[in-house]
Amino acid sequence: MAIADWVQRQLAKAPPWSDEQFEEVQKLLCPPAPPEEFMHWRVRLYCGHICEVTRLRRHERPDGGVTDKERCAECGLNPSVIVAFEPLVSG
């Protein structure tokens, strides 16, 4: 437990990161996926609104099989459950 306490003390002394620093570290640790790895979906939300979302292609569904919730950009309901979806095909 002494190590965890030491780490907490060191972190408390560290200066806060700017948004730019945080974004740079995020890019290094989690590089963005190339555009061809994304798929666009049209989803109908429980609130009745329809919106388009972008998700990684490796998921067979826009919820990634993990969560069926999405924030509605139109009415702000958060979360609003995805009740239907269809892939959008580029023409």
Side-chain angles (χ1 to χ4, degrees):
M1 191 53 107
I3 293 174
D5 293 336
W6 180 85
V7 169
Q8 289 299 322
R9 287 192 304 273
Q10 299 308 310
L11 289 173
K13 291 187 229 177
W17 284 8
S18 69
D19 290 340
E20 293 82 18
Q21 289 171 311
F22 182 76
E23 288 173 12
E24 191 62 33
V25 169
Q26 238 180 346
K27 286 179 193 174
L28 291 171
L29 297 177
C30 305
E36 61 270 8
E37 290 188 25
F38 289 96
M39 183 169 184
H40 302 284
W41 297 84
R42 180 176 293 123
V43 298
R44 179 181 299 275
L45 302 174
Y46 179 77
C47 60
H49 294 113
I50 296 173
C51 64
E52 293 181 9
V53 297
T54 303
R55 299 291 190 267
L56 288 171
R57 282 192 185 276
R58 66 177 165 238
H59 301 297
E60 296 176 8
R61 304 165 45 111
D63 57 15
V66 177
T67 179
D68 58 354
K69 298 174 178 78
E70 183 73 26
R71 182 188 177 282
C72 180
E74 197 162 328
C75 71
L77 184 61
N78 188 19
S80 185
V81 175
I82 298 172
V83 295
F85 55 85
E86 66 179 345
L88 295 175
V89 180
S90 308

